[in-house]
Amino acid sequence: MYYKFTYIANFMILRHYNIFSVNILRITFVILGLCLSIAPIYAEQVGSVTLNRNIEKFKQYRTTDRDRALDYATMVLADVDTTSVSEDIAMVFDFMSEYSEGTLHRYSEALQYRKMAHSIYQKLNNRPCIARTNALLARIYMRNSDYHNAFSSSLKALEDAQELGDSTTMREAYIALEQVDYFSHNDTQ
């Protein structure tokens, strides 16, 4: 009888312990689930704060210290989703294109950055920036001896600039058209 009672008592204790363990396990999984669901939101907020700080630092140094601006622009591009549609991100792509073209003389890299900026401006329907970017694309196409694309980009820039009344972009487009005409005839001879 003693063994039977001990067996039943042990069974009851184990059953109670198992129910307690299962409940603790359930509570642990609920807490873990909440933490995991909150973590991406927190990470996104922290990431966007860092991204915004890097964009502001980039803007601060863009005209005064190009090397520091390059560092911040690189951090922005590392943190940002390349499908992001923001004038700030387009500005970073513009800067990277200018830096790649003017300082590093990497024209294919400059072309890729400029195309990314152009794409963002088109999504934002920012016509003045689209016109300006087309004129700048024409310049890069010319440096790559791609006169057909340089000519079409110059014409697009000129048409948009005339519609907008933007004399600076019109001037850039006319200069690009003159250069395309000159180099396309002199490269073939």
Side-chain angles (χ1 to χ4, degrees):
M1 185 79 169
Y2 173 74
Y3 291 113
K4 189 174 186 181
F5 177 73
T6 307
Y7 176 74
I8 292 174
N10 285 339
F11 177 75
M12 295 299 286
I13 290 171
L14 285 175
R15 183 171 168 240
H16 178 70
Y17 177 74
N18 283 340
I19 292 172
F20 180 73
S21 296
V22 168
N23 286 337
I24 292 293
L25 209 59
R26 286 180 185 156
I27 291 170
T28 304
F29 281 123
V30 167
I31 292 172
L32 182 63
L34 287 173
C35 290
L36 290 176
S37 66
I38 292 172
I41 296 169
Y42 178 74
E44 184 177 310
Q45 288 174 346
V46 169
S48 67
V49 167
T50 304
L51 178 64
N52 289 337
R53 183 176 45 87
N54 287 340
I55 288 173
E56 291 306 314
K57 289 289 191 180
F58 162 75
K59 287 179 183 178
Q60 177 184 349
Y61 294 116
R62 176 180 62 185
T63 56
T64 58
D65 187 352
R66 293 179 59 81
D67 291 329
R68 285 180 83 178
L70 177 66
D71 292 340
Y72 285 107
T74 304
M75 286 187 267
V76 167
L77 294 182
D79 291 343
V80 76
D81 178 14
T82 55
T83 60
S84 295
V85 178
S86 159
E87 286 204 30
D88 289 337
I89 303 303
M91 185 186 336
V92 171
F93 280 122
D94 274 337
F95 174 81
M96 293 298 287
S97 177
E98 290 169 18
Y99 194 87
S100 296
E101 180 184 5
T103 305
L104 304 175
H105 305 291
R106 295 182 190 157
Y107 303 118
S108 59
E109 187 178 308
L111 182 63
Q112 294 307 314
Y113 286 129
R114 188 68 68 192
K115 284 181 177 180
M116 293 293 289
H118 187 263
S119 171
I120 292 172
Y121 289 135
Q122 284 181 324
K123 289 175 184 172
L124 293 171
N125 198 25
N126 187 334
R127 299 220 28 234
C129 288
I130 292 170
R132 182 180 149 277
T133 304
N134 277 326
L136 295 171
L137 275 169
R139 185 178 70 196
I140 298 171
Y141 282 129
M142 261 189 306
R143 289 182 184 237
N144 285 331
S145 300
D146 185 355
Y147 302 118
H148 176 73
N149 283 328
F151 182 76
S152 63
S153 291
S154 297
L155 280 180
K156 288 178 196 173
L158 183 60
E159 290 169 1
D160 288 344
Q162 286 174 338
E163 286 178 21
L164 296 168
D166 183 355
S167 60
T168 304
T169 303
M170 276 193 275
R171 181 180 56 84
E172 289 177 13
Y174 278 125
I175 290 170
L177 283 169
E178 288 177 26
Q179 290 175 342
V180 167
D181 182 53
Y182 175 80
F183 286 115
S184 65
H185 287 93
N186 288 332
D187 274 358
T188 58
Q189 294 175 354

Coordinates of all heavy atoms in Angstrom, one line a residue, residues 13-94:
I13 N 2.8 14.8 -8.2 CA 3.9 15.8 -8.1 C 4.4 16.1 -9.5 O 4.6 17.2 -10.0 CB 5.0 15.5 -7.1 CG1 4.4 15.5 -5.7 CG2 6.2 16.4 -7.3 CD1 5.4 15.0 -4.7
L14 N 4.8 15.0 -10.2 CA 5.3 15.1 -11.6 C 4.3 15.7 -12.5 O 4.6 16.6 -13.4 CB 5.7 13.7 -12.1 CG 7.0 13.2 -11.5 CD1 7.3 11.8 -12.1 CD2 8.2 14.1 -11.9
R15 N 3.0 15.4 -12.4 CA 2.0 15.9 -13.2 C 1.9 17.4 -13.0 O 1.8 18.2 -13.9 CB 0.7 15.3 -12.9 CG -0.4 15.7 -13.8 CD -1.7 14.9 -13.6 NE -2.8 15.6 -14.3 CZ -3.9 16.0 -13.7 NH1 -4.0 15.7 -12.4 NH2 -4.8 16.6 -14.3
H16 N 1.9 17.8 -11.7 CA 1.8 19.2 -11.3 C 3.1 20.0 -11.9 O 3.0 21.1 -12.4 CB 1.7 19.4 -9.8 CG 1.7 20.8 -9.4 ND1 0.7 21.7 -9.6 CD2 2.7 21.6 -8.8 CE1 0.9 22.9 -9.2 NE2 2.1 22.8 -8.6
Y17 N 4.2 19.3 -11.8 CA 5.5 19.9 -12.2 C 5.4 20.1 -13.8 O 5.8 21.1 -14.3 CB 6.7 19.0 -11.8 CG 8.0 19.5 -12.3 CD1 8.6 20.7 -11.8 CD2 8.6 18.9 -13.4 CE1 9.8 21.2 -12.3 CE2 9.8 19.4 -13.9 CZ 10.4 20.5 -13.3 OH 11.6 21.0 -13.8
N18 N 4.9 19.0 -14.5 CA 4.8 19.1 -15.9 C 3.9 20.2 -16.4 O 4.2 20.9 -17.3 CB 4.4 17.8 -16.5 CG 5.5 16.8 -16.5 OD1 6.7 17.1 -16.5 ND2 5.2 15.5 -16.6
I19 N 2.7 20.4 -15.7 CA 1.8 21.4 -16.0 C 2.5 22.8 -15.8 O 2.4 23.7 -16.6 CB 0.5 21.3 -15.2 CG1 -0.3 20.0 -15.7 CG2 -0.4 22.5 -15.4 CD1 -1.5 19.7 -14.9
F20 N 3.2 22.9 -14.7 CA 3.9 24.1 -14.3 C 5.0 24.4 -15.4 O 5.1 25.5 -15.9 CB 4.5 24.0 -12.9 CG 5.2 25.2 -12.5 CD1 4.5 26.4 -12.1 CD2 6.6 25.2 -12.4 CE1 5.2 27.5 -11.7 CE2 7.3 26.4 -12.1 CZ 6.6 27.5 -11.7
S21 N 5.7 23.4 -15.8 CA 6.8 23.5 -16.8 C 6.2 23.9 -18.1 O 6.7 24.8 -18.8 CB 7.5 22.2 -17.0 OG 8.2 21.9 -15.8
V22 N 5.1 23.3 -18.5 CA 4.4 23.7 -19.8 C 4.0 25.1 -19.8 O 4.1 25.9 -20.7 CB 3.3 22.7 -20.1 CG1 2.4 23.2 -21.2 CG2 3.8 21.3 -20.4
N23 N 3.4 25.5 -18.6 CA 2.9 26.9 -18.5 C 4.1 27.9 -18.6 O 4.1 28.9 -19.2 CB 2.1 27.2 -17.3 CG 0.8 26.5 -17.4 OD1 0.2 26.3 -18.5 ND2 0.1 26.2 -16.2
I24 N 5.2 27.6 -17.9 CA 6.4 28.4 -18.0 C 6.9 28.4 -19.4 O 7.3 29.5 -19.9 CB 7.5 27.9 -17.0 CG1 7.1 28.0 -15.6 CG2 8.9 28.5 -17.3 CD1 7.0 29.5 -15.1
L25 N 6.9 27.3 -20.1 CA 7.4 27.2 -21.4 C 6.5 28.1 -22.3 O 7.0 28.8 -23.2 CB 7.4 25.8 -21.9 CG 8.3 25.4 -23.0 CD1 9.8 25.6 -22.5 CD2 8.1 23.9 -23.3
R26 N 5.2 28.0 -22.1 CA 4.3 28.9 -22.9 C 4.5 30.3 -22.7 O 4.6 31.1 -23.6 CB 2.8 28.5 -22.6 CG 2.4 27.2 -23.1 CD 0.9 26.9 -22.7 NE 0.5 25.6 -23.2 CZ -0.4 24.9 -22.6 NH1 -1.1 25.4 -21.6 NH2 -0.7 23.7 -23.1
I27 N 4.7 30.7 -21.4 CA 5.0 32.1 -21.1 C 6.3 32.6 -21.8 O 6.4 33.7 -22.3 CB 5.0 32.3 -19.6 CG1 3.6 32.1 -19.0 CG2 5.5 33.7 -19.2 CD1 3.5 32.1 -17.5
T28 N 7.3 31.7 -21.7 CA 8.6 32.0 -22.3 C 8.4 32.2 -23.8 O 9.0 33.2 -24.4 CB 9.6 30.9 -22.0 OG1 9.7 30.7 -20.6 CG2 11.0 31.2 -22.6
F29 N 7.7 31.4 -24.5 CA 7.5 31.5 -25.9 C 6.7 32.8 -26.3 O 7.0 33.4 -27.3 CB 6.8 30.3 -26.5 CG 7.8 29.1 -26.7 CD1 7.6 27.9 -26.1 CD2 8.9 29.3 -27.5 CE1 8.4 26.9 -26.3 CE2 9.8 28.3 -27.7 CZ 9.6 27.0 -27.1
V30 N 5.7 33.1 -25.5 CA 5.0 34.3 -25.7 C 5.9 35.6 -25.6 O 5.9 36.5 -26.4 CB 3.8 34.4 -24.7 CG1 3.2 35.8 -24.7 CG2 2.7 33.4 -25.1
I31 N 6.7 35.6 -24.5 CA 7.6 36.7 -24.3 C 8.6 36.7 -25.5 O 8.9 37.8 -26.0 CB 8.3 36.6 -23.0 CG1 7.3 36.8 -21.8 CG2 9.5 37.6 -22.9 CD1 7.8 36.6 -20.5
L32 N 9.2 35.6 -25.8 CA 10.1 35.5 -26.9 C 9.5 36.0 -28.2 O 10.1 36.8 -29.0 CB 10.6 34.1 -27.1 CG 11.7 33.9 -28.2 CD1 12.9 34.7 -27.9 CD2 12.0 32.4 -28.3
G33 N 8.2 35.6 -28.5 CA 7.5 36.0 -29.7 C 7.3 37.5 -29.7 O 7.5 38.2 -30.7
L34 N 7.0 38.1 -28.6 CA 6.8 39.6 -28.5 C 8.1 40.3 -28.7 O 8.2 41.3 -29.5 CB 6.2 40.0 -27.1 CG 4.8 39.6 -26.9 CD1 4.4 39.9 -25.4 CD2 3.9 40.4 -27.8
C35 N 9.2 39.7 -28.1 CA 10.5 40.4 -28.4 C 10.9 40.3 -29.8 O 11.4 41.3 -30.4 CB 11.6 39.7 -27.5 SG 11.4 40.0 -25.8
L36 N 10.7 39.2 -30.5 CA 11.0 39.0 -31.9 C 10.2 39.9 -32.8 O 10.6 40.3 -33.8 CB 11.0 37.6 -32.3 CG 12.0 36.6 -31.7 CD1 11.8 35.2 -32.1 CD2 13.4 37.1 -32.1
S37 N 8.9 40.1 -32.4 CA 8.1 41.0 -33.2 C 8.4 42.4 -33.0 O 8.2 43.2 -33.9 CB 6.6 40.7 -32.9 OG 6.3 41.1 -31.6
I38 N 8.9 42.8 -31.9 CA 9.3 44.2 -31.6 C 10.6 44.5 -32.2 O 10.9 45.6 -32.6 CB 9.2 44.5 -30.1 CG1 7.7 44.4 -29.7 CG2 9.8 45.8 -29.8 CD1 7.5 44.5 -28.2
A39 N 11.5 43.5 -32.2 CA 12.9 43.8 -32.6 C 13.1 44.4 -34.0 O 13.8 45.4 -34.1 CB 13.7 42.5 -32.5
P40 N 12.4 43.9 -35.0 CA 12.5 44.5 -36.3 C 12.0 46.0 -36.3 O 12.6 46.8 -37.0 CB 11.7 43.7 -37.3 CG 11.5 42.4 -36.6 CD 11.6 42.7 -35.1
I41 N 11.0 46.3 -35.6 CA 10.5 47.6 -35.6 C 11.5 48.5 -34.9 O 11.8 49.6 -35.4 CB 9.1 47.7 -34.8 CG1 8.1 46.9 -35.6 CG2 8.7 49.1 -34.6 CD1 6.8 46.7 -34.8
Y42 N 12.1 48.1 -33.8 CA 13.1 48.8 -33.1 C 14.3 49.0 -34.0 O 14.9 50.1 -34.1 CB 13.5 48.2 -31.8 CG 14.6 48.9 -31.0 CD1 14.3 50.1 -30.4 CD2 15.9 48.4 -31.0 CE1 15.3 50.8 -29.7 CE2 16.9 49.0 -30.3 CZ 16.6 50.2 -29.7 OH 17.6 50.9 -29.1
A43 N 14.7 47.9 -34.6 CA 15.9 48.0 -35.5 C 15.7 49.0 -36.7 O 16.5 49.7 -37.1 CB 16.2 46.6 -36.1
E44 N 14.4 49.0 -37.2 CA 14.1 49.9 -38.3 C 14.2 51.3 -37.8 O 14.7 52.2 -38.5 CB 12.7 49.5 -38.8 CG 12.3 50.4 -40.0 CD 10.9 50.0 -40.5 OE1 10.7 48.8 -40.8 OE2 10.1 50.8 -40.7
Q45 N 13.7 51.6 -36.6 CA 13.7 52.9 -36.1 C 15.2 53.3 -35.8 O 15.5 54.5 -36.2 CB 12.9 53.0 -34.8 CG 11.4 52.9 -35.0 CD 10.7 52.9 -33.6 OE1 11.3 52.6 -32.6 NE2 9.4 53.1 -33.7
V46 N 15.9 52.5 -35.2 CA 17.3 52.8 -35.0 C 18.1 53.0 -36.3 O 18.8 53.9 -36.5 CB 18.0 51.7 -34.2 CG1 19.5 51.9 -34.1 CG2 17.5 51.7 -32.8
G47 N 17.8 52.1 -37.3 CA 18.4 52.2 -38.6 C 18.0 53.5 -39.3 O 18.8 54.2 -39.9
S48 N 16.7 53.9 -39.2 CA 16.3 55.2 -39.8 C 16.9 56.4 -39.1 O 17.2 57.4 -39.8 CB 14.8 55.3 -39.9 OG 14.2 55.4 -38.6
V49 N 17.1 56.3 -37.8 CA 17.7 57.4 -37.1 C 19.2 57.5 -37.6 O 19.7 58.6 -37.9 CB 17.7 57.2 -35.6 CG1 18.6 58.1 -34.8 CG2 16.2 57.3 -35.1
T50 N 19.9 56.4 -37.7 CA 21.3 56.4 -38.2 C 21.3 56.9 -39.6 O 22.2 57.7 -40.0 CB 21.9 55.0 -38.1 OG1 21.8 54.5 -36.7 CG2 23.3 55.0 -38.5
L51 N 20.4 56.4 -40.4 CA 20.3 56.9 -41.8 C 20.1 58.4 -41.9 O 20.8 59.1 -42.7 CB 19.2 56.1 -42.6 CG 19.0 56.5 -44.0 CD1 20.3 56.1 -44.9 CD2 17.8 55.8 -44.6
N52 N 19.1 58.9 -41.2 CA 18.9 60.3 -41.2 C 20.1 61.1 -40.7 O 20.4 62.2 -41.2 CB 17.6 60.6 -40.4 CG 16.4 60.1 -41.0 OD1 16.3 60.0 -42.2 ND2 15.3 59.9 -40.2
R53 N 20.7 60.6 -39.7 CA 21.9 61.3 -39.1 C 23.0 61.3 -40.2 O 23.7 62.4 -40.4 CB 22.4 60.6 -37.9 CG 23.6 61.3 -37.2 CD 24.0 60.7 -35.9 NE 24.1 59.3 -35.9 CZ 25.2 58.6 -36.3 NH1 26.3 59.2 -36.6 NH2 25.2 57.3 -36.3
N54 N 23.2 60.2 -40.9 CA 24.2 60.2 -41.9 C 23.9 61.1 -43.1 O 24.8 61.7 -43.7 CB 24.4 58.7 -42.4 CG 25.2 57.9 -41.4 OD1 25.8 58.4 -40.5 ND2 25.0 56.6 -41.5
I55 N 22.6 61.2 -43.5 CA 22.2 62.1 -44.5 C 22.4 63.5 -44.1 O 22.9 64.3 -44.9 CB 20.7 61.9 -44.9 CG1 20.5 60.5 -45.6 CG2 20.1 63.0 -45.7 CD1 19.1 60.1 -45.9
E56 N 22.1 63.9 -42.9 CA 22.4 65.2 -42.4 C 23.8 65.6 -42.4 O 24.2 66.7 -42.8 CB 21.7 65.5 -41.0 CG 20.2 65.5 -41.0 CD 19.6 66.4 -42.0 OE1 20.1 67.6 -42.1 OE2 18.7 66.0 -42.7
K57 N 24.7 64.6 -42.0 CA 26.1 64.8 -42.0 C 26.6 65.0 -43.5 O 27.5 65.8 -43.8 CB 26.9 63.7 -41.3 CG 26.7 63.7 -39.8 CD 27.4 64.9 -39.2 CE 27.5 64.7 -37.7 NZ 28.2 65.8 -37.1
F58 N 26.1 64.2 -44.3 CA 26.4 64.3 -45.8 C 26.1 65.7 -46.3 O 26.9 66.3 -47.0 CB 25.7 63.2 -46.6 CG 25.6 63.5 -48.0 CD1 26.8 63.3 -48.8 CD2 24.5 64.0 -48.6 CE1 26.7 63.6 -50.2 CE2 24.5 64.3 -50.0 CZ 25.6 64.1 -50.8
K59 N 24.9 66.1 -46.0 CA 24.5 67.5 -46.5 C 25.4 68.6 -45.9 O 25.8 69.5 -46.6 CB 23.1 67.8 -46.1 CG 22.0 67.0 -46.8 CD 20.7 67.4 -46.3 CE 19.5 66.6 -47.0 NZ 18.2 67.0 -46.4
Q60 N 25.8 68.4 -44.7 CA 26.7 69.3 -44.0 C 28.1 69.4 -44.7 O 28.6 70.5 -44.9 CB 26.9 68.9 -42.5 CG 27.8 69.8 -41.8 CD 28.0 69.3 -40.3 OE1 27.3 68.4 -39.9 NE2 29.0 69.9 -39.7
Y61 N 28.6 68.3 -45.1 CA 30.0 68.3 -45.7 C 30.0 68.3 -47.2 O 31.1 68.4 -47.8 CB 30.7 67.1 -45.2 CG 31.0 67.1 -43.7 CD1 30.5 66.2 -42.8 CD2 31.8 68.1 -43.2 CE1 30.7 66.3 -41.5 CE2 32.1 68.2 -41.8 CZ 31.5 67.3 -41.0 OH 31.8 67.4 -39.6
R62 N 28.9 68.2 -47.8 CA 28.8 68.0 -49.3 C 29.6 69.1 -50.0 O 30.3 68.8 -51.0 CB 27.3 68.0 -49.7 CG 27.1 68.0 -51.2 CD 25.6 68.0 -51.5 NE 25.1 69.2 -51.0 CZ 23.8 69.5 -51.0 NH1 22.9 68.6 -51.5 NH2 23.3 70.6 -50.6
T63 N 29.5 70.3 -49.6 CA 30.2 71.4 -50.3 C 31.5 71.8 -49.7 O 32.3 72.5 -50.3 CB 29.3 72.7 -50.4 OG1 28.9 73.0 -49.1 CG2 28.0 72.4 -51.3
T64 N 31.7 71.5 -48.4 CA 32.9 72.0 -47.7 C 34.0 70.9 -47.7 O 35.2 71.3 -47.8 CB 32.6 72.4 -46.3 OG1 32.0 71.3 -45.6 CG2 31.6 73.6 -46.3
D65 N 33.7 69.7 -47.5 CA 34.7 68.6 -47.3 C 34.2 67.4 -48.1 O 33.5 66.5 -47.5 CB 34.9 68.3 -45.8 CG 36.1 67.4 -45.6 OD1 36.6 66.8 -46.6 OD2 36.4 67.2 -44.4
R66 N 34.6 67.3 -49.3 CA 34.1 66.2 -50.2 C 34.5 64.8 -49.7 O 33.7 63.9 -49.9 CB 34.5 66.5 -51.6 CG 33.9 67.7 -52.2 CD 34.3 68.0 -53.6 NE 34.1 67.0 -54.6 CZ 32.9 66.8 -55.2 NH1 31.9 67.5 -54.9 NH2 32.8 65.8 -56.1
D67 N 35.7 64.7 -49.1 CA 36.1 63.4 -48.7 C 35.2 62.9 -47.5 O 34.8 61.7 -47.4 CB 37.6 63.4 -48.2 CG 38.5 63.6 -49.4 OD1 38.1 63.1 -50.5 OD2 39.6 64.2 -49.3
R68 N 34.9 63.8 -46.6 CA 34.0 63.4 -45.5 C 32.6 63.2 -46.0 O 31.9 62.3 -45.5 CB 34.0 64.5 -44.4 CG 35.3 64.5 -43.6 CD 35.3 65.5 -42.5 NE 34.6 65.1 -41.3 CZ 34.5 65.8 -40.2 NH1 35.0 67.0 -40.2 NH2 33.8 65.3 -39.2
A69 N 32.2 64.0 -47.0 CA 30.9 63.8 -47.6 C 30.8 62.4 -48.2 O 29.8 61.7 -48.2 CB 30.6 64.9 -48.6
L70 N 31.9 62.0 -48.9 CA 32.0 60.7 -49.5 C 31.8 59.6 -48.5 O 31.1 58.6 -48.7 CB 33.3 60.6 -50.3 CG 33.5 59.2 -50.9 CD1 32.5 59.0 -52.0 CD2 34.9 59.1 -51.4
D71 N 32.5 59.8 -47.3 CA 32.3 58.8 -46.3 C 30.9 58.6 -45.8 O 30.4 57.5 -45.7 CB 33.2 59.1 -45.1 CG 34.7 59.1 -45.4 OD1 35.1 58.4 -46.3 OD2 35.4 59.7 -44.6
Y72 N 30.2 59.7 -45.6 CA 28.8 59.7 -45.2 C 27.9 59.2 -46.3 O 26.9 58.5 -46.1 CB 28.3 61.0 -44.7 CG 28.9 61.3 -43.3 CD1 29.9 62.3 -43.1 CD2 28.4 60.6 -42.2 CE1 30.4 62.5 -41.8 CE2 28.9 60.8 -40.9 CZ 29.9 61.8 -40.7 OH 30.4 62.0 -39.5
A73 N 28.2 59.6 -47.5 CA 27.4 59.1 -48.7 C 27.5 57.6 -48.8 O 26.5 56.9 -49.1 CB 27.8 59.8 -50.0
T74 N 28.7 57.1 -48.6 CA 28.9 55.6 -48.6 C 28.1 54.9 -47.5 O 27.5 53.9 -47.8 CB 30.4 55.3 -48.5 OG1 31.1 56.0 -49.6 CG2 30.7 53.8 -48.7
M75 N 28.1 55.5 -46.3 CA 27.3 54.9 -45.2 C 25.8 55.0 -45.6 O 25.1 54.0 -45.3 CB 27.6 55.7 -43.9 CG 29.0 55.3 -43.3 SD 29.2 56.1 -41.7 CE 30.0 57.6 -42.1
V76 N 25.4 56.1 -46.1 CA 24.0 56.2 -46.5 C 23.6 55.1 -47.5 O 22.6 54.4 -47.3 CB 23.6 57.6 -47.1 CG1 22.3 57.6 -47.8 CG2 23.7 58.6 -46.0
L77 N 24.4 54.9 -48.5 CA 24.1 53.9 -49.5 C 24.2 52.5 -49.0 O 23.5 51.6 -49.5 CB 25.0 54.1 -50.8 CG 24.8 55.4 -51.6 CD1 25.7 55.4 -52.8 CD2 23.3 55.5 -52.0
A78 N 25.0 52.3 -48.0 CA 25.1 51.0 -47.4 C 23.9 50.7 -46.5 O 23.5 49.5 -46.4 CB 26.4 50.9 -46.5
D79 N 23.3 51.7 -45.9 CA 22.1 51.5 -45.1 C 20.8 51.6 -45.8 O 19.8 51.1 -45.2 CB 22.1 52.6 -44.0 CG 23.3 52.4 -43.0 OD1 23.8 51.3 -42.9 OD2 23.6 53.4 -42.2
V80 N 20.7 52.1 -47.0 CA 19.5 52.4 -47.6 C 19.1 51.3 -48.6 O 19.9 50.6 -49.1 CB 19.5 53.8 -48.3 CG1 20.3 53.7 -49.6 CG2 18.1 54.3 -48.6
D81 N 17.8 51.1 -48.7 CA 17.3 50.2 -49.7 C 17.4 50.9 -51.0 O 16.9 52.1 -51.1 CB 15.8 49.9 -49.3 CG 15.1 49.0 -50.4 OD1 15.9 48.4 -51.2 OD2 13.9 48.9 -50.3
T82 N 17.9 50.3 -52.0 CA 18.2 51.0 -53.3 C 16.9 51.3 -54.0 O 16.9 52.1 -55.0 CB 19.1 50.2 -54.2 OG1 18.5 48.9 -54.4 CG2 20.5 50.2 -53.6
T83 N 15.8 50.8 -53.6 CA 14.5 51.1 -54.2 C 13.8 52.3 -53.5 O 12.7 52.7 -53.8 CB 13.5 49.9 -54.2 OG1 13.3 49.5 -52.8 CG2 14.1 48.8 -55.0
S84 N 14.5 52.9 -52.5 CA 13.9 54.0 -51.8 C 13.7 55.2 -52.7 O 14.6 55.5 -53.6 CB 14.9 54.5 -50.7 OG 15.0 53.5 -49.7
V85 N 12.6 55.9 -52.5 CA 12.3 57.1 -53.3 C 12.3 58.3 -52.4 O 11.4 58.5 -51.7 CB 11.0 56.9 -54.0 CG1 10.6 58.1 -54.8 CG2 11.0 55.6 -54.9
S86 N 13.4 59.0 -52.5 CA 13.6 60.2 -51.6 C 14.6 61.1 -52.3 O 15.5 60.7 -52.9 CB 14.2 59.8 -50.3 OG 14.8 60.8 -49.6
E87 N 14.3 62.4 -52.2 CA 15.2 63.4 -52.9 C 16.5 63.4 -52.2 O 17.6 63.6 -52.8 CB 14.6 64.8 -52.8 CG 13.4 64.9 -53.8 CD 13.2 66.4 -54.2 OE1 14.2 67.2 -54.2 OE2 12.1 66.7 -54.6
D88 N 16.6 63.1 -50.9 CA 17.8 63.0 -50.2 C 18.7 61.9 -50.8 O 19.9 62.0 -51.0 CB 17.6 62.8 -48.7 CG 17.1 64.0 -48.0 OD1 17.3 65.1 -48.5 OD2 16.5 63.9 -46.9
I89 N 18.1 60.7 -51.0 CA 18.8 59.6 -51.6 C 19.3 59.9 -53.0 O 20.4 59.6 -53.4 CB 17.9 58.3 -51.5 CG1 17.5 58.0 -50.1 CG2 18.7 57.1 -52.2 CD1 18.6 57.8 -49.1
A90 N 18.4 60.6 -53.8 CA 18.8 61.0 -55.1 C 20.0 61.9 -55.1 O 20.9 61.9 -55.9 CB 17.6 61.6 -55.8
M91 N 20.0 62.8 -54.1 CA 21.1 63.8 -53.9 C 22.4 63.0 -53.6 O 23.4 63.4 -54.1 CB 20.8 64.8 -52.8 CG 21.8 65.8 -52.6 SD 21.5 66.9 -51.2 CE 19.8 66.8 -50.8
V92 N 22.3 62.0 -52.8 CA 23.5 61.2 -52.5 C 24.0 60.5 -53.8 O 25.2 60.5 -54.1 CB 23.2 60.1 -51.4 CG1 24.3 59.2 -51.3 CG2 22.9 60.8 -50.1
F93 N 23.0 59.9 -54.6 CA 23.4 59.3 -55.9 C 24.1 60.3 -56.8 O 25.1 60.1 -57.5 CB 22.3 58.6 -56.6 CG 21.9 57.3 -56.0 CD1 20.7 57.0 -55.5 CD2 22.9 56.3 -56.0 CE1 20.4 55.8 -55.0 CE2 22.6 55.0 -55.5 CZ 21.3 54.8 -55.0
D94 N 23.5 61.6 -56.9 CA 24.1 62.6 -57.7 C 25.5 62.9 -57.2 O 26.4 63.1 -58.1 CB 23.3 63.9 -57.5 CG 22.1 64.0 -58.5 OD1 22.2 63.3 -59.6 OD2 21.1 64.7 -58.2

